[in-house]
Structures are given as C-alpha cells and as structure tokens.
Amino acid sequence: MEWIALVGAGLCEVLGVIALRRVTLNRTLGSYLFLAIALGSSFLLLTLSMTKISMGTAYAIWTGMGTAGSTLLGMFAFGEPKEGRRLVFIGLILVSAIGLKMLT
C-alpha cells in the first residue's frame, strides 16, 4: 500500500508541474486550485508512504518520478528538445530509484 501511495505521490508531482505551467499561462482561480490540489495530494501521499518506506528512499523516488515525468512530459507534450542525453540521464534516475528499492 505504501508503494502505491508513493507512485501516486510521484504522479501528483507531475500534475503539479502541469499546474505550474497552467498558472503561468492562465492566472485564474481554477489554475491555482489545480496547483494546490495536485501539490497538496502529492505531499499527502508522500507522507502516507513514509509510514513504512524510509524517508531517504521515499524522497529520492518521489523526486526522481517528478523529475523524470516532468522531463518526459516536456519532451513529448510541450515540444521541448528530444536529445538522447536527456533520455540517458532519465535512465540513470530510474536505475538509482531501483537500486534504492533493492537496498530497503
């Protein structure tokens, strides 16, 4: 259950990045509510996941999911450069998260 909460926290983190972009383009109450709900949900789920997962592992996986997800989203949905080097470094983030999971 804690790992599901952690994955959910990472997905909400990516939604938070989408919300940040939306706020920069359209400063409406709906945009700010979307941002607050996405990031609030992310922190809540991260907190729930840390009941059984160590803080260091949970935080590293959460930030890794947010970083990798936001980068991939930018590349494929918002037209950011699709360089091979970016994919290599995303792969390193994923390998590091898997390594941390194997140690716990």
Side-chain angles (χ1 to χ4, degrees), residues 5-64:
L6 185 56
V7 169
L11 294 175
C12 287
E13 183 73 10
V14 174
L15 286 177
V17 172
I18 293 170
L20 281 171
R21 179 174 170 84
R22 184 174 166 182
V23 165
T24 61
L25 298 175
N26 186 13
R27 293 176 184 244
T28 63
L29 179 60
S31 296
Y32 284 106
L33 284 174
F34 179 37
L35 176 64
I37 290 168
L39 292 180
S41 299
S42 181
F43 284 116
L44 176 66
L45 290 168
L46 176 64
T47 302
L48 292 173
S49 73
M50 287 195 296
T51 59
K52 300 281 183 187
I53 302 170
S54 71
M55 179 184 65
T57 300
Y59 185 74
I61 290 174
W62 176 68
T63 58

